[in-house]
Amino acid sequence: MIGKEKLVERIEETELEKTHAGNDLWEKHIYMGDKVLIVGYEKEETYNKPNPGEEIIKNYYWYWELRDSANWNVLFDNHDKEFSFCESNVGGYTDQDRVEDLVGDIEEEDVCTWSEQDWIEDISEDIAEETIDWLKSLEK
């Protein structure tokens, strides 16, 4: 079985790739023998139509799944939305400098005050711990 440190390293170093399944759905596939760990994030659906020039906050959540690599069956998954982050843009400006030109000197953390898991490094240990627990339960 893979160790926690090695799994954390693989989670952090594997590239995220945009999937063909949706607009804002990104995943990394980490193969471990006959299992594959899928780590990704997707945009949370919003139903409000923004007014032109208004600030738009997009919410994303991280998820992960352990699948059988042969038949792609889901063995375990975590779609609890406990790890989330957000991005902000104003009037179509997504580049942070251009947003700051419009609304002043702001940091995205000040707009998305609860957004603390923007980077995979923020949650990789949690993902690794849960994945190792899943793998251990399969060995029993």
Side-chain angles (χ1 to χ4, degrees):
M1 181 188 318
I2 191 167
K4 180 182 170 186
E5 286 180 25
K6 181 68 175 166
L7 185 54
V8 166
E9 180 182 311
R10 292 195 56 202
I11 291 169
E12 291 177 357
E13 291 180 3
T14 302
E15 292 293 323
L16 273 167
E17 296 180 16
K18 189 169 183 157
T19 69
H20 301 291
N23 291 340
D24 271 342
L25 185 64
W26 294 77
E27 292 182 343
K28 48 177 75 191
H29 296 183
I30 302 155
Y31 289 89
M32 301 174 292
D34 62 347
K35 310 286 183 286
V36 60
L37 174 63
I38 298 171
V39 178
Y41 67 84
E42 80 179 301
K43 183 177 155 192
E44 203 165 34
E45 254 186 84
T46 57
Y47 300 100
N48 299 340
K49 293 215 176 214
N51 294 325
E54 259 187 19
E55 177 182 24
I56 300 167
I57 296 178
K58 296 178 186 176
N59 298 315
Y60 296 87
Y61 71 91
W62 289 99
Y63 64 89
W64 51 97
E65 303 171 341
L66 186 64
R67 292 178 175 250
D68 184 305
S69 61
N71 58 23
W72 217 244
N73 288 340
V74 176
L75 304 171
F76 296 95
D77 67 10
N78 184 327
H79 287 262
D80 294 343
K81 298 184 182 182
E82 73 180 286
F83 295 112
S84 303
F85 63 96
C86 65
E87 291 181 352
S88 171
N89 68 50
V90 176
Y93 294 108
T94 55
D95 178 66
Q96 188 65 24
D97 294 332
R98 295 177 75 190
V99 171
E100 288 175 1
D101 288 344
L102 287 177
V103 296
D105 190 20
I106 59 168
E107 294 294 326
E108 193 161 58
E109 305 87 60
D110 296 334
V111 175
C112 302
T113 55
W114 53 268
S115 185
E116 298 176 351
Q117 292 96 24
D118 293 50
W119 304 105
I120 192 67
E121 292 82 5
D122 298 331
I123 63 169
S124 58
E125 286 195 24
D126 296 286
I127 296 169
E129 286 171 8
E130 186 167 26
T131 302
I132 288 171
D133 288 344
W134 291 343
L135 291 168
K136 285 180 183 175
S137 72
L138 290 172
E139 287 180 350
K140 294 179 182 177

